[in-house]
Amino acid sequence: MTSVLETAPAVTARAPAKVNLELGVGAVREDGYHPLATVYQAVGLHEDVTAATADAWGVTVRGRDAELVPTDETNIALRAAMLLADEVGGDLAPVHLTIHKRVPVAGGMAGGSADAAAALVACEALWAAGLSKAELDPIAAQVGSDVPFLLHGGTAVGSGRGEIITPVLAKGSYHWVFVPTPAEGLSTPEVYRTFDELTEGRRVPEPEPSPAMMAALRLGDAEALADVLTNDLQPAAIKLQPRIGEVIEAAMGFGALGAIVSGSGPTVALLAGSQEGAIDLAVALTASGVADEVLRASGPVAGAHVIPAPRLT
Ligand code: C5P
């Protein structure tokens, strides 16, 4: 059992979840990944990770869906921290990570990737390693395709397999309602495999960010953005989890400006015109029984950053 002394040096970092405003997917590459042209937006639903000097490497997970997260070396945040330790070198003491979760696990909002991004920022600060975020990017990309974006946050285009980040000029703040739907049979690899099945025999063009999306973001107008939300993985996600399609249809009926599967799903992301609009939509979804639970968040927000102290709740 790892022990963390009350007085052990510790740093806490916070990282956001993401929604893909556009997710263009190309034909599967030889390495098994798919080329992406995606537009990420970081949203204000956060994971906190505390890195504390300890006598052995380890991880504790608290908060939402904590029981679904592995606490061995397959934990993505622990992997990120250990890779950074190798990179920094020298005689570093092991670290125990405590993760406080708020983002649904395996929901398409990159909660696990946020844990990895926060772990990198927390450990970098704990070790005073002097590495910039750009210098953390290669390690982030090694642990997951979404991790580099969550280091930087804001609104950005992701290319390659999603790990090559270019910031985008985006005005305004957007109000989202997220509806978690059951995740059975809907792992990210399974959704990509279903995408391959659905596109078999068709020529899948090389994905590119759309000029219409860039124009909507420059305008900073939620209605304009709602009109151009697209996700090439949506048909695959709905095929695996038909409930997603029902939630999207009901939400549009309740006045959502736009509705889209978040990443590979199964969370549904709904765009509202204002904070009041988001509250009304959330109430309509839960009161009608369409959703048991909804989460509200605005974006864009900052990427992973150190915060003063761990949350105690
Ligand atoms: O990079 P990450 O670990 O998040 O990816 C999880 C899985 O999602 C990959 O193993 C792959 O099956 C699929 N994936 C993909 N193309 C991408 C990103 C992920 O096929 N661009």
Side-chain angles (χ1 to χ4, degrees):
M1 178 77 191
T2 316
S3 61
V4 179
L5 296 173
E6 288 285 323
T7 52
V11 174
T12 299
R14 168 168 287 188
K18 60 86 183 167
V19 57
N20 301 76
L21 308 177
E22 177 168 271
L23 183 48
V25 182
V28 65
R29 309 192 307 206
E30 272 183 10
D31 65 0
Y33 283 91
H34 294 70
L36 301 186
T38 189
V39 179
Y40 291 109
Q41 182 165 94
V43 296
L45 194 64
H46 291 103
E47 303 272 289
D48 292 344
V49 176
T50 300
T53 302
D55 55 14
W57 291 94
V59 59
T60 302
V61 186
R62 302 211 169 105
R64 187 192 169 99
D65 298 343
E67 68 287 357
L68 302 177
V69 179
T71 52
D72 59 14
E73 287 187 15
T74 64
N75 182 287
I76 184 173
L78 190 57
R79 266 175 39 220
M82 293 172 108
L83 281 171
L84 179 60
D86 284 347
E87 174 75 20
V88 172
D91 202 12
L92 291 174
V95 155
H96 189 92
L97 300 176
T98 303
I99 301 176
H100 184 97
K101 298 199 67 65
R102 297 185 192 85
V103 180
V105 167
M109 296 185 71
S113 300
D115 297 341
L120 288 175
V121 167
C123 289
E124 193 283 330
L126 183 70
W127 297 327
L131 297 174
S132 66
K133 285 192 176 171
E135 288 168 317
L136 294 175
D137 277 344
I139 300 173
Q142 226 177 307
V143 286
S145 307
D146 296 331
V147 183
F149 171 67
L150 297 171
L151 280 178
H152 297 274
T155 306
V157 168
S159 54
R161 58 182 167 85
E163 86 285 18
I164 304 165
I165 299 303
T166 314
V168 162
L169 185 67
K171 277 211 294 201
S173 181
Y174 300 91
H175 303 280
W176 297 95
V177 177
F178 295 99
V179 183
T181 72
E184 300 99 57
L186 213 125
S187 69
T188 301
E190 190 56 37
V191 175
Y192 276 102
R193 260 197 302 278
T194 306
F195 170 86
D196 294 340
E197 277 167 33
L198 293 176
T199 53
E200 212 180 332
R202 277 200 273 143
R203 198 188 79 80
V204 181
E206 203 50 31
E208 284 176 23
S210 73
M213 171 59 67
M214 297 303 138
L217 289 171
R218 274 197 304 272
L219 212 57
D221 176 59
E223 279 186 47
L225 180 64
D227 286 346
V228 294
L229 296 171
T230 55
N231 182 349
D232 286 353
L233 294 179
Q234 187 154 312
I238 292 177
K239 180 163 191 246
L240 289 165
Q241 178 54 269
R243 178 94 192 102
I244 291 172
E246 295 164 22
V247 172
I248 288 177
E249 206 178 301
M252 293 308 285
F254 288 136
L257 296 182
I260 198 168
V261 172
S262 183
S264 58
T267 303
V268 176
L270 307 170
L271 184 58
S274 62
Q275 194 164 0
E276 296 73 45
I279 293 169
D280 288 348
L281 186 56
V283 169
L285 287 162
T286 47
S288 63
V290 169
D292 290 336
E293 181 201 14
V294 293
L295 302 164
R296 282 191 296 113
S298 299
V301 297
H305 57 281
V306 171
I307 59 170
R311 263 180 62 109
L312 295 175
T313 54

